Each structure stands twice: as C-alpha cells, then as structure tokens.
Amino acid sequence: MQPVPESGPATPAVKLEGVTKRFAGRAGPVTALDTVSASVAGGQVNGIMGADAAGKTTLLRILAGLLAPSQGEAHTLGHAPGGDAVRGRVGYMPQSFGLYAELSVHENLRLHADLQGLAGRGRQERFDELMAFAGLGPFADRRADRLSGGMKQKLGLACTLVHPPELLLLDEPTAGVDPVSRSDLWAILYRLVADGMTVVLSTAYLDEAERCAEVLLLHRGRLLA
C-alpha cells in the first residue's frame, strides 16, 4: 500500500456550507444532497465514499461548476465553482470520460489540448510527458476503442491533465478497472500530489478510502462522517 500523503496547507481546497441539491422527480422533488457541510485540505488525496445513489457524483459536479446547489454554498480553492477565478485551475474527470473511440491516443490528447487552449512549443513535450507518466507511450497510435478499460482510464486522466490543474476531481476513476491498472492509477495520483496537486475522488471501495488522507462518507445524500 502506498503511504498516505501528509496534510497540506491550512486553507481548504474544498469547502461546503449546507449544500443541498434537489432534482425534479415524477413523484416530487428528489434530494440528492442534504445540507452537506465539510471541508478538505489541499495537497493531499481526499475521498468521497458511499454506495450508489449516495450523492457522490452530484457533489463532484457541483464542485466542478456543472451544477448549482439548490441551497447552501460550495467553494473550490476559495472561490465559487466554475467562476473565472478558478477556470483552468480545476480539472474534472467524470466516470464516463468522453474519449473519441475512432481517434488514437495521441489524437485524443491533441483534441483535448485544442479544447483547453494548449499551444506553443511545449505542446508536444507535454504530450510526451503525459504518455510516459501514464504508461501510454507504446500505444500512442492505438485507437481508443482498442484500449483496455484501465488504459482508457489512464488516457482520460492524461487528457484531463493536459493543462495541469491545482485541484483534480475524479468520479470513481477505478470503477471496473483491473487490479494492476488500479494500482497504476493510484501510483499516478500520489505522484501528482507529490508535485503539489490536490485530488478529490469518489469511490465505493473501502480499501481505496483507506488510501485517502481525509474521507467524506455519504449515505443517501447525507454526510455521515
């Protein structure tokens, strides 16, 4: 098992104050998050733990600025999620990352670099660094739909890291991934934290929660611990 990283700076990387999120349902409003208040420190791997329908994905989408709370406030890096103050400083990798199946590993990286505005002489160097970092170098010309599940996750992570964020949000990055690839992904996360990044990831695995410096335990939208 990898060592748990030490706690980072005192200023929270994420702060939640009474965050509630409701969605319209056929039988009335459905509460996905119910007055969640918590904070997690920077410079470490933090976990959001819970079973299906616990509210993990909803919370990560709020932190990424993709959803607004129905009530309460959320802050990432001291600012409202999705605002100009944190644009480019927060990276988000959803559970089903949008790889283009017909494109190669290198072509997917180039596309995400275009979307993230990465240009200049350092662009190819960044691609080479990411492919070596994620162990994808030998597969640069392989189509995404011909990669294993673990390799697809590592490619998705590499695409998210084209422009290195200060805060990285990951939605169950190891779900359905083989044990070797899970170990590889965790090794990558610890290297990112060692370089100063903060990681917040959701998981349903107890052994992965043990690898985190701090864990928020959700159950049916409520924060239990």
Side-chain angles (χ1 to χ4, degrees), residues 96-112 131 136 138-159:
S96 298
F97 188 80
L99 295 174
Y100 287 82
E102 71 279 7
L103 299 183
S104 69
V105 167
H106 194 259
E107 288 169 338
N108 268 281
L109 282 171
R110 286 209 309 261
L111 174 61
H112 282 273
M131 285 193 288
L136 293 168
F139 311 101
D141 296 322
R142 183 174 296 187
R143 282 174 47 138
D145 60 356
R146 296 178 182 173
L147 298 174
S148 68
M151 290 171 63
K152 287 178 181 177
Q153 289 296 82
K154 285 189 278 189
L155 175 55
L157 182 56
C159 290

Side-chain angles (χ1 to χ4, degrees), residues 148-173:
S148 68
M151 290 171 63
K152 287 178 181 177
Q153 289 296 82
K154 285 189 278 189
L155 175 55
L157 182 56
C159 290
T160 306
L161 297 173
V162 163
H163 189 286
E166 295 175 41
L167 172 62
L168 178 62
L169 308 172
L170 305 173
D171 192 1
E172 298 199 37

Side-chain angles (χ1 to χ4, degrees), residues 7-59:
S7 296
T11 301
V14 170
K15 188 172 183 180
L16 309 167
E17 298 177 327
V19 171
T20 296
K21 183 62 182 178
R22 300 185 186 90
F23 295 98
R26 292 183 179 180
V30 176
T31 301
L33 292 172
D34 190 353
T35 58
V36 175
S37 296
S39 64
V40 293
Q44 60 188 24
V45 181
N46 303 287
I48 302 173
M49 175 77 186
D52 290 345
K56 304 187 299 294
T57 296
T58 299
L59 179 53

